[in-house]
Amino acid sequence: MLLDALVARAGELTNVGVIHLHIEGPGPHLALEMAGHFRHRALFIGPNARAAVNEGRADYVPVFLSDVPRLFESRALPLDAVLVNATPPDRHGFCSLGTSVEAMHAAIRSARTVIVQFNSSMPRTLGDSFVHVSDIDLAVEVDIPPYEHAVGTIGAVERKIGEFVADLVPDGATLQLGIGAIPAATALALRDKRDLGIHTEMFTDAVVDLVEAGVVTGARKERNRGKIVTAFVMGSRRLYDFVNDNPMVEMRPVDFTNDTHVIRSFSRMVAINSAIEVDLTGQVVADSIGHRLYSGVGGQMDFVRGAALASDGRAIIALPSTAAGGTVSRITPSLKEGAGIVTTRAHVRTVVTEWGVAELFGKSTVERAEALISIAHPDFRDELAAAARRTTMV
C-alpha cells in the first residue's frame, strides 16, 4: 500500500531512489511509465524487477546477504526514509516485523524518517522482530494479507535430486533450505530423518510439513536449540498462520542468520543451494544467464562457506542437469559470456543433479571434470568429455 501511495504521487516526484531486497507483488514503481520518477536499486532481483534491470531502468547491487545491514549502517547506501510493513503495536507499544526481518532493523536505525503501515493481517512473529512505536515517525493502518508464493511443480527430476540430497543429510543435522521445487522435493525425501534443525535465511511451507511430521525438532542444535531460526518466510497462508505467535520460530536479522561464524557453529550444518550453471571446474553461476541478470548473490556464499567450515558440515549445490526442455546442459565446459560467478570453484564441495552426486573437495581440475561429467545428462556427456579433452582438462 505504501508503494501504491508513492506511485500515485509520481507526478510530483522525480528520480526518487527505491532500494529493495526481494519483494513480492507487482512492483508498481517498476512499470515502464515510472521511469524518470523512480529508480529501483535491487539488492536481489525478483521476477517483478528483472525486465527493469535488464532494460537499464533499474540497478542491481551484487552483495552478500549478510552484508546488507552494513550497507545501510555505513551509509554506503544512505536512506532518507524507510517504508515498513508491521503489525499494529501491542499493549507495550511494540510492532512485529512479521514475515520479514532481514535488514529492517539496520534500515530503521539508519533512515531519517520511519514510515510504517500497521497491518492487521501481518502475522506476529517472535525473536528479534520488534520495533517500538517511539522509533516510528509516521504510520497508517491497513489490512492487507502478505503475498502468497506457490511452490513450483515437483517433477520426477526434482524428486530424484531431493532423494540424492536427503541421503547426504544425517539425523540431527541443521539445515538451510531455500525456496523452489528442489528444496520442496528434498523436504519430502527427509521424512525418515530424526531431530533435524533449521537455521536458514528463509523458509517455506516445506519446513511446516517437516515440523508437523515430527522430523524438525531442533533438539540437537548446538545453539538456538528447539528453535527454527530465519530472517524471512515466504509461502502460503498456512505458513503465515504457522509462524504467527509461534515460540518455535525465531526471526533474526541476516547479519546473524548468515554470519559464517554462526553457521559453522552447527557441527552437522547442511546448506542446500541452487545454480543456473556449473562449469567443469566447479564454478557456480547463480545470479545471471550470461549477461542477463536474473536474481542475486543472496546468501549462497554465506552458507556454502559456513557449512564447509562446520566440523561435519556439508555444502551442496543442487540443480537439474538440463534447461530449456532438455536442450541445454547446465553442466558446461565453460561459463556463458557475461555470467557472474557467485560461488568460486575453491568453495564448492558437493554438486547434485538427478544423475547423482559429485564430490569436488580435494579434487584436481581433471578429477572435477570427470566427476561433473558423470552427473551431467547422458545426452551431453560425450560432448562435455570432448570439450574437456580440448582444454587438457581430462
Side-chain angles (χ1 to χ4, degrees):
M1 181 173 175
L2 291 178
L3 272 177
D4 290 335
L6 199 63
V7 168
R9 292 186 52 205
E12 308 168 39
L13 303 170
T14 304
N15 200 31
V16 175
V18 182
I19 299 171
H20 273 295
L21 278 164
H22 177 86
I23 56 169
E24 288 293 298
H29 63 297
L30 289 159
L32 181 61
E33 61 270 21
M34 290 295 110
H37 298 287
F38 302 104
R39 184 75 180 185
H40 182 86
R41 184 176 288 255
L43 306 181
F44 192 94
I45 306 167
N48 54 14
R50 283 179 195 139
V53 169
N54 286 291
E55 291 167 11
R57 297 182 284 109
D59 301 307
Y60 166 53
V61 179
V63 61
F64 295 137
L65 192 55
S66 57
D67 279 339
V68 173
R70 188 175 301 177
L71 285 180
F72 299 145
E73 292 180 324
S74 69
R75 299 196 66 77
L77 288 180
L79 303 176
D80 293 306
V82 60
L83 309 182
V84 183
N85 193 17
T87 65
D90 62 19
R91 64 191 181 90
H92 303 292
F94 286 96
C95 309
S96 170
L97 294 170
T99 60
S100 182
V101 170
E102 292 178 340
M104 288 307 302
H105 287 303
I108 289 167
R109 287 192 296 268
S110 304
R112 294 188 178 93
T113 304
V114 177
I115 304 168
V116 177
Q117 57 180 28
F118 293 148
N119 189 350
S120 56
S121 287
M122 176 66 78
R124 181 178 184 270
T125 57
L126 308 178
D128 192 2
S129 179
F130 294 95
V131 56
H132 194 264
V133 289
S134 61
D135 295 318
I136 297 170
D137 298 297
L138 300 165
V140 60
E141 293 180 329
V142 302
D143 185 0
I144 304 172
Y147 285 105
E148 296 188 38
H149 190 285
V151 176
T153 302
I154 301 174
V157 168
E158 290 80 13
R159 287 182 183 276
K160 193 62 182 176
I161 294 171
E163 290 168 5
F164 280 125
V165 171
D167 284 344
L168 300 174
V169 177
D171 288 343
T174 298
L175 302 181
Q176 174 223 3
L177 275 172
I179 193 167
I182 290 176
T186 300
L188 287 173
L190 290 170
R191 295 301 184 93
D192 63 345
K193 302 294 181 178
R194 295 290 178 268
D195 289 330
L196 299 183
I198 302 292
H199 180 96
T200 186
E201 66 195 35
M202 67 86 60
F203 71 85
T204 66
D205 291 67
V207 169
V208 183
D209 295 335
L210 291 176
V211 172
E212 293 181 349
V215 175
V216 166
T217 66
R220 293 168 65 179
K221 291 177 72 178
E222 283 82 357
R223 62 195 305 167
N224 309 116
R225 185 162 295 174
K227 302 288 187 180
I228 297 171
V229 176
T230 189
F232 68 104
V233 297
M234 194 160 62
S236 72
R237 182 76 248 174
R238 170 174 170 254
L239 171 65
Y240 302 142
D241 289 342
F242 172 79
V243 301
N244 184 54
D245 254 334
N246 187 344
M248 188 181 190
V249 179
E250 183 170 314
M251 306 293 289
R252 298 292 294 266
V254 292
D255 50 4
F256 177 83
T257 60
N258 289 51
D259 184 335
T260 301
H261 174 76
V262 173
I263 295 165
R264 71 181 296 185
S265 70
F266 300 102
S267 61
R268 295 170 297 277
M269 185 74 210
V270 178
I272 305 162
N273 286 275
S274 61
I276 292 172
E277 64 176 331
V278 179
D279 78 2
L280 289 179
T281 71
Q283 297 183 107
V284 172
V285 174
D287 71 344
S288 65
I289 302 172
H291 288 285
R292 181 170 170 256
L293 294 165
Y294 187 79
S295 55
V297 172
Q300 181 171 124
M301 264 299 302
D302 296 328
F303 275 94
V304 164
R305 190 58 181 155
L309 290 171
S311 58
D312 295 304
R314 185 181 285 275
I316 299 169
I317 300 294
L319 73 162
S321 64
T322 63
T327 62
V328 176
S329 177
R330 289 178 182 255
I331 306 294
T332 60
S334 57
L335 303 179
K336 291 182 180 64
E337 182 181 355
I341 298 168
V342 168
T343 301
T344 76
R345 53 193 169 207
H347 288 99
V348 174
R349 297 292 181 93
T350 303
V351 180
V352 177
T353 73
E354 72 273 25
W355 297 99
V357 178
E359 297 289 6
L360 304 187
F361 185 54
K363 286 186 166 61
S364 69
T365 54
V366 170
E367 293 164 336
R368 284 165 172 251
E370 292 171 342
L372 288 165
I373 290 169
S374 76
I375 64 166
H377 194 285
D379 290 351
F380 295 95
R381 289 179 191 171
D382 289 346
E383 178 184 327
L384 289 168
R389 286 192 293 272
R390 287 195 299 271
T391 58
T392 68
M393 214 174 283
V394 295

